[in-house]
Every structure is written in structure tokens, then in C-alpha cells.
Amino acid sequence: MAAMLLSPPIARFWDGIDSRIDRIAMGISGLCLVHCVATTVLLTLISSAGALLDPRIHEIGLALAIGMGVIALGRGIATHGYMMPAVVGAFGLGIMAGALSLPHGGFEIFWTLIGVALVALGHDLNRRATY
């Protein structure tokens, strides 16, 4: 009898907590969207400016992306056991590496952005699988 009296307040308490968690998660998702768009724009600007400064900036950027991908996506495999995020991210890194062999210009930028988008998708899948 006492358990039945306590159930509605406990249910209301948990409903409030769930609602707050959903709102926080939606806010974080919005920040993630802003981050992804800003990163894409920044990488586009850096890749365009890279030709003006030094062509090696592409190789350095790719090396950093591969290093971060190995650490983050590899840790994801160890944490949640799903290979798909790492496969998608590795495919994107491969496209980025292949884009380095193209002449500087439209197709190189196009394939680099496709690769960057796939790497970002791999990291997003990794993040989602962790939760």
C-alpha cells in the first residue's frame, strides 16, 4: 500500500529528470551542429589558404587527422566494440589521402571535403555508439 502511494511522486520526479536530460541533449546536439559546420568552413578556408603558404600543410593536416582518427576511433572500438565508426572514418581518411594526388583545384577540394565529411560522420557515429 505504501509503495502505491510513493509511485506517483517518484514517477513525476523521473519524468522531470528525463525532460531535463532531453533538453540538455538537444542543446548539446545543437552545439555539435554548430561545431561541425564551423569546422567544415574552417577546414575549407585552411585548405584554400594552404596553397598560398605551403603545399605541405595538406600533408601535415592529413597526418594530424590520421593520428587523431587512430586515437579516437580506435578508443571507440575498445570502448563500445563497434567497427562501423572506424570503418567510415578510415574511408574518409583514405579519400582525403587520395585527394592529395589530384592537381590543386576544384576536384581536390571536392574530394577533400567529401573525405572530411566522412571522417566527421565516423566520429559522430563513434560518439553516438559510446552513449
Side-chain angles (χ1 to χ4, degrees), residues 31-112:
L31 290 175
C32 181
L33 176 67
V34 169
H35 167 76
C36 291
V37 170
T39 301
T40 302
V41 170
L42 179 65
L43 287 174
T44 302
L45 292 173
I46 289 173
S47 70
S48 297
L52 299 173
L53 301 173
D54 188 356
R56 289 180 289 184
I57 195 161
H58 294 114
E59 289 99 11
I60 294 168
L62 180 62
L64 290 172
I66 289 172
M68 292 177 72
V70 167
I71 292 168
L73 298 171
R75 194 176 115 223
I77 293 171
T79 302
H80 51 66
Y82 296 119
M83 293 286 294
M84 184 58 71
V87 169
V88 171
F91 185 60
L93 289 169
I95 290 175
M96 288 170 60
L100 284 177
S101 68
L102 297 173
H104 188 69
F107 282 117
E108 179 209 12
I109 293 170
F110 172 77
W111 285 111
T112 300

